[in-house]
Amino acid sequence: MTTRLPAWSLFAALIAMAGLPIYIHAPKFFVDTYGTSLAAMGLTLAALRLIDVVQDPLLGWLAEATRPRRRLTIAIATTLMAASLWGLFAVTPPMPPLLWFALTLAVLFSAFSYLTICFYAEGVSKAQTLGGQGHIRLAGWREGGSLLGVCLAATAPVALAFVSTQPFTAFALIFAAVALIATLAMHREWQGTPADPTPNPLDLFRPVLADPLSRRLLLIALLNASPVAVTSTLFLFFVESRLSLPGWEGPLLLLFFLAAAASTPVWSLLARRHGPRPVLLGAMMLAIASFLWTLTLGTGDLIPFALICIASGVALGADLTLLPAIFAQRLAQTGTSEAAAFGLWSFVSKLSLALAALTILPSLQAAGFQPGQTNPESALATLTLIYAGLPCVLKLTAIALLARTKLTMPLKDPA
């Protein structure tokens, strides 16, 4: 079975290329290229992400309803994702830039969400064919590939600027090529087992919401995703304005995501030996230490921030590897519909991004922060506090909740 796992890594890389890096690059690209204001961009992102949040459970239902035709729907969704990314970065907006941004991003993230839900749902069945601790084993391959895809997407536009006058157009071409290769490599892995002709959405979601442990894991996922939502929204602004290190954004992002990718097999091994909860708690404490250090940084602190990127990247590797594996294992225990459950999982992850967009960028503008300009110290202090202080609070809350969660709960509540 291991011979097929590289296909899972490659498809995970494809999905990841259209996820977090687009949240990092797209807003700044439109702000710099078309002069979009931070407040308008923040409100637009918030609206888009709220739509994304609301539709994820519906996409989970759709993934379950179309399971017999999954290979076809995967091909359609992958094509839509590649086409919308091309429109976002490589096409001059044929309408007001903010409207074009909203339309292309809406299609991109709808396809992204559908693919993510199908991919993780299929993984529940795949893991059961891999023997003992198959969920942790598959997660190592899947999240390792995912983080390598993030590395490529986060740094490619910056690197391509050295060889192309249109780096984002070149990136869109690379993405289309990866989409074709990954779709072909993964084609035989989609089982497409028969589903009920018209599954009832309430019947699909009720089991996961009725299970106390599944509900707890969904809440932990929301809290744990929020720090990433905050830092991904502000990373480029923090490096450029607070640290005064323009041009270092690409190398620092690469360092961060490479550290995350390199750490995934280590976290997977540690979880198999010592259990996922203590290992995940240790990684979350490492993340808090990195956030606290970030609060002390100022102009020119390249080396300390590079070390912070390594530490926080390593911590992120555990988050992305272990939490989905724990959730998938619980789904296998309860027999819950995988696609619907991962629709809810995607829902809570996207909710954190929506809340971040709704509050963070408008708050920065209200504090007097202007991207690419000389900012007052009070605005920079606000940027630092939101970038590193808020994630500390969110991560501590997630730690407290996980520490009180028993991952060996019975499948049903006692009578």
Side-chain angles (χ1 to χ4, degrees):
M1 302 303 295
T2 303
T3 57
R4 300 302 306 163
L5 289 176
W8 288 76
S9 287
L10 182 58
F11 202 83
L14 168 68
I15 295 175
M17 288 176 69
L20 185 60
I22 307 306
Y23 280 119
I24 293 173
H25 287 304
K28 194 171 190 301
F29 174 77
F30 271 74
V31 168
D32 292 346
T33 305
Y34 304 110
T36 308
S37 74
L38 281 179
M41 178 59 68
L43 291 174
T44 301
L45 278 174
L48 286 171
R49 289 170 180 172
L50 284 173
I51 293 172
D52 205 18
V53 164
V54 171
Q55 75 175 358
D56 273 350
L58 297 178
L59 290 174
W61 170 83
L62 179 63
E64 194 68 30
T66 59
R67 185 188 294 183
R69 298 177 295 279
R70 182 156 288 176
R71 291 175 180 175
L72 174 61
T73 60
I74 291 294
I76 293 172
T78 304
T79 301
L80 286 174
M81 191 166 65
S84 56
L85 190 139
W86 176 266
L88 183 68
F89 287 129
V91 175
T92 302
M95 57 186 69
L98 201 58
L99 179 57
W100 182 248
F101 174 86
L103 289 175
T104 54
L105 210 60
V107 176
L108 175 66
F109 285 129
S110 295
F112 166 86
S113 296
Y114 179 81
L115 290 171
T116 300
I117 291 166
C118 290
F119 186 58
Y120 277 83
E122 194 74 39
V124 176
S125 299
K126 177 70 172 182
Q128 293 174 335
T129 70
L130 300 177
Q133 300 199 350
H135 292 283
I136 299 295
R137 184 181 172 196
L138 176 62
W141 281 87
R142 182 180 57 209
E143 307 312 330
S146 177
L147 287 165
L148 287 175
V150 169
C151 290
L152 176 60
T155 59
V158 178
L160 289 169
F162 292 100
V163 297
S164 173
T165 58
Q166 296 181 312
F168 283 96
T169 299
F171 170 67
L173 285 172
I174 292 172
F175 182 86
V178 174
L180 177 61
I181 297 170
T183 302
L184 292 175
M186 190 68 183
H187 182 71
R188 288 190 296 167
E189 292 297 296
W190 306 108
Q191 296 304 309
T193 54
D196 294 334
T198 54
N200 188 315
L202 293 179
D203 291 340
L204 288 175
F205 298 129
R206 189 179 291 115
V208 67
L209 293 176
D211 178 44
L213 179 54
S214 295
R215 290 200 309 268
R216 179 71 67 91
L217 291 173
L218 287 169
L219 179 57
I220 293 171
L222 171 63
L223 292 169
N224 208 47
S226 297
V228 178
V230 172
T231 55
S232 64
T233 301
L234 297 181
F235 181 88
L236 298 181
F237 299 117
F238 185 81
V239 174
E240 179 184 64
S241 298
R242 172 71 275 184
L243 301 182
S244 298
L245 295 170
W248 281 97
E249 298 92 342
L252 289 169
L253 275 174
L254 179 61
L255 192 63
F256 172 75
F257 287 119
L258 281 178
S263 71
T264 55
V266 178
W267 291 123
S268 180
L269 177 62
L270 289 174
R272 291 199 298 269
R273 290 184 176 179
H274 305 291
R277 187 174 69 168
V279 173
L280 184 56
L281 285 171
M284 294 165 79
M285 292 301 297
L286 176 61
I288 288 195
S290 68
F291 289 135
L292 291 174
W293 192 3
T294 304
L295 289 171
T296 69
L297 301 186
T299 301
D301 284 336
L302 174 60
I303 300 302
F305 191 65
L307 295 175
I308 287 169
C309 286
I310 294 173
S312 57
V314 168
L316 178 66
D319 289 345
L320 297 181
T321 302
L322 301 184
L323 263 181
I326 292 170
F327 188 64
Q329 189 170 29
R330 183 59 180 175
L331 297 183
Q333 291 173 347
T334 59
T336 303
S337 169
E338 301 95 341
F342 273 105
L344 293 176
W345 184 267
S346 183
F347 169 88
V348 298
S349 298
K350 301 288 184 56
L351 181 60
S352 65
L353 290 167
L355 295 174
L358 182 63
T359 57
I360 288 173
L361 294 180
S363 297
L364 274 182
Q365 182 162 311
F369 178 79
Q370 295 293 328
Q373 306 295 324
T374 300
N375 288 282
E377 185 59 34
S378 60
L380 295 177
T382 300
L383 172 61
T384 300
L385 190 61
I386 297 176
Y387 180 81
L390 180 58
C392 272
V393 176
L394 295 168
K395 187 69 78 169
L396 280 170
T397 308
I399 287 175
L401 192 59
L402 179 60
R404 299 180 60 187
T405 300
K406 295 181 179 180
L407 299 183
T408 56
M409 292 176 64
L411 299 188
K412 296 181 180 179
D413 288 331

